[in-house]
Amino acid sequence: SEGITKKEAMYINQSLTFLEQVIIAVADRKREHVPFRQSKLTHVLKNSIGGNCNTVMIANIWGESAQLEETISTLRFGTRMMCVANEPLQNVHKQWYQRRVRANIFNCSIR
């Protein structure tokens, strides 16, 4: 059980490291390549990180001195996330929009 937990923690930390690399790459406007495919986490979050939607990051921190290192690391990560710019746009399916326009035209011509 202890070995499995340690292995899971290793995979989680690796995914978070890849997520941090992606965030750094997205925040740097001069960079051409963003490594979204390094992990499943970053691939799934591709459209949320610097993409076409609003994104909220919630940072959980702990006020005890024993957790100070983790708290500072989390706050630094949140600061880097603030550098990522999203440009949310309304997604409109082209065929749906065309059908709606045609229906409106048809309704207007009947009257």
Side-chain angles (χ1 to χ4, degrees):
S1 166
E2 189 176 309
I4 294 171
T5 305
K6 192 173 187 178
K7 194 173 186 178
E8 287 176 356
M10 182 187 70
Y11 286 129
I12 291 169
N13 286 335
Q14 187 178 25
S15 290
L16 291 175
T17 300
F18 290 141
L19 177 62
E20 185 175 7
Q21 290 174 3
V22 166
I23 290 168
I24 290 169
V26 168
D28 185 7
R29 299 281 183 193
K30 296 177 185 175
R31 242 177 124 160
E32 292 180 16
H33 175 70
V34 179
F36 284 114
R37 292 189 169 197
Q38 286 184 335
S39 75
K40 290 180 184 179
L41 177 67
T42 56
H43 188 68
V44 168
L45 295 175
K46 181 179 181 178
N47 292 327
S48 298
I49 304 170
N52 186 21
C53 62
N54 287 324
T55 305
V56 175
M57 185 201 143
I58 299 172
N60 294 317
I61 58 173
W62 197 264
E64 291 185 6
S65 61
Q67 305 297 329
L68 185 62
E69 187 177 328
E70 285 292 324
T71 298
I72 291 172
S73 176
T74 301
L75 292 173
R76 285 183 181 150
F77 182 75
T79 303
R80 285 190 291 275
M81 278 295 294
M82 289 179 7
C83 296
V84 175
N86 287 354
E87 298 175 13
L89 301 170
Q90 183 177 5
N91 292 329
V92 177
H93 194 274
K94 189 175 181 178
Q95 291 175 345
W96 175 83
Y97 182 73
Q98 289 173 346
R99 278 186 257 148
R100 186 170 178 187
V101 169
R102 287 181 191 143
N104 286 339
I105 291 171
F106 181 74
N107 289 337
C108 290
S109 64
I110 291 176
R111 292 181 186 171

